[in-house]
Amino acid sequence: MFTGIVEEVGEIVDVTPQEDSARLRIRGPLVTSDARPGDSIAVNGVCLTVVDPDADGFAVDVMGETLRRSSLAGAAPGTTVNLERALAANARLGGHIVQGHVDGTATVAGLDPSEHWTAVRFTTPRAVDGGVGLARYIVEKGSIAVDGVSLTVTEVDDDGFSVGLIPTTLAETTLGSREVGATVNLEVDVLAKYVERLLGAGAGTTATAGAEG
């Protein structure tokens, strides 16, 4: 469980392709300061299991399903990533409930900077082959995790949605460097998916990229 409050911007330093998976080595001294093998860390919003931590970083094994459904498929040395440790039971829930189970990806469609904040427009894939598009789970003033960052939706339509990024978010997460055309991970509010499931409207229509361990 996470909150979408990024603790550190890390960097991928090595990618080792494996059969239908990959091992990533990530630099992130803050989030690994107390990390042990088996701990969970969100990497751009994807919950991954810590392997071989040291003072400077850690490794993770990313299975094929996660590579297919998240932007980690394009990970390369030098790629910056948002990092967040799992929520401690006695910590404040500063963002919203984030599982680290990425629902899919979106594309940065537009940037509209102003003096004190930047409006960012994202497009989401439409439903294909009888599936369910992510836009149906996104509501104005609702919460969404973009590359693991907890954000509030300002506008939404069938093609995508917009958010407003304050200077702190721009400076302390990777979203400040994302350009038009960039791919980002999305996790919609889990409550919307449970409600749909309980109502019987979307049985068997969603799949997520989840924890590796």
Side-chain angles (χ1 to χ4, degrees):
M1 188 78 69
F2 306 90
T3 69
I5 305 300
V6 172
E7 295 185 272
E8 179 179 21
V9 174
E11 180 182 357
I12 295 175
V13 296
D14 185 66
V15 177
T16 304
Q18 299 173 333
E19 185 176 351
D20 197 31
S21 66
R23 173 165 286 201
L24 309 182
R25 187 80 195 173
I26 301 169
R27 180 180 296 114
L30 174 61
V31 298
T32 50
S33 61
D34 60 353
R36 296 173 298 177
D39 285 352
S40 295
I41 293 178
V43 179
N44 272 0
V46 181
C47 178
L48 297 173
T49 300
V50 172
V51 178
D52 189 26
D54 59 29
D56 190 52
F58 61 101
V60 292
D61 291 315
V62 187
M63 64 181 182
E65 171 72 5
T66 302
L67 293 172
R68 286 187 289 272
R69 293 188 175 272
S70 76
S71 64
L72 293 182
T79 300
T80 55
V81 289
N82 295 318
L83 301 176
E84 181 191 355
R85 288 170 288 192
L87 177 67
N90 63 346
R92 291 185 175 90
L93 184 61
H96 72 283
I97 295 174
V98 177
Q99 295 183 299
H101 301 167
V102 169
D103 294 293
T105 60
T107 303
V108 178
L111 301 169
D112 185 14
S114 62
E115 183 178 1
H116 298 295
W117 60 289
T118 296
V120 184
R121 168 77 181 172
F122 299 95
T123 56
T124 54
R126 289 183 173 272
V128 294
D129 299 329
V132 176
L134 292 180
R136 70 184 298 167
Y137 302 112
I138 304 170
V139 298
E140 186 174 339
K141 305 306 179 186
S143 295
I144 192 165
V146 178
D147 270 353
V149 183
S150 175
L151 299 170
T152 300
V153 176
T154 56
E155 296 179 2
V156 63
D157 57 38
D158 291 339
D159 296 315
F161 65 98
S162 297
V163 299
L165 304 182
I166 62 174
T168 298
T169 304
L170 293 168
E172 297 184 6
T173 76
T174 62
L175 297 184
S177 62
R178 292 292 182 256
E179 299 179 346
V180 172
T183 300
V184 296
N185 294 323
L186 293 186
E187 181 184 332
V188 299
D189 192 338
V190 66
L191 294 178
K193 292 184 288 184
Y194 277 124
V195 169
E196 182 179 66
R197 178 71 172 180
L198 289 170
L199 292 175
T205 60
T206 60
T208 60
E212 303 305 311

